[in-house]
Amino acid sequence: VQLQASGGGLVQAGGSLRLSCAASGNLFSISAMGWYRQAPGKQRELVASINSGGSTAYADSVKDRFTISRDNAKNMVYLQMSSLKPEDTAVYYCNVVKRIYSTTLDFWGQGTQVTVSS
């Protein structure tokens, strides 16, 4: 699986950005797609995920501000980010999880920088 993320950039606090991630390759058995982020000096953390059934999960810090969605026909996953805060500044990574029987495989995109100025 190859993942190509795009849509990052510089935005003022309170602004919005939409991240996109295109998935290609062997896309069978994908159980979930999601977005993680990593700020300087911090561990990578889950931002939002969406499973094959469409159920979503969000980090508490982004609930009611971020929305994850996926387009299965286009093999895309999106992250709509609104009311951005300086603490949202990080490199955002697209993630795909494949589950084949008892094996779980993680795939990562290259990351896209999001910078929120105060």
Side-chain angles (χ1 to χ4, degrees), residues 4-11 16-21 35 79 81 84 88-93 110-116:
Q4 182 68 44
S6 60
L10 173 64
V11 64
S16 299
L17 279 175
R18 187 194 195 207
L19 304 184
S20 300
C21 178
W35 291 92
L79 186 68
M81 305 185 293
L84 282 161
D88 294 318
T89 295
V91 178
Y92 283 70
Y93 297 91
Q110 83 286 5
T112 184
Q113 177 71 47
V114 171
T115 302
V116 184

Side-chain angles (χ1 to χ4, degrees), residues 38-95:
Q38 187 167 20
K42 294 188 177 181
Q43 289 188 331
R44 190 174 296 189
E45 63 174 356
L46 174 67
V47 177
S49 65
I50 183 167
N51 66 18
S52 56
S55 296
T56 58
Y58 296 91
D60 287 342
S61 59
V62 306
K63 280 180 182 176
D64 300 322
R65 299 190 298 121
F66 291 9
T67 302
I68 189 170
S69 61
R70 63 192 285 180
D71 184 332
N72 291 328
K74 296 181 179 179
N75 298 318
M76 299 286 294
V77 62
Y78 306 98
L79 186 68
Q80 178 66 46
M81 305 185 293
S82 303
S83 302
L84 282 161
K85 304 175 181 180
E87 51 263 44
D88 294 318
T89 295
V91 178
Y92 283 70
Y93 297 91
C94 178
N95 168 260

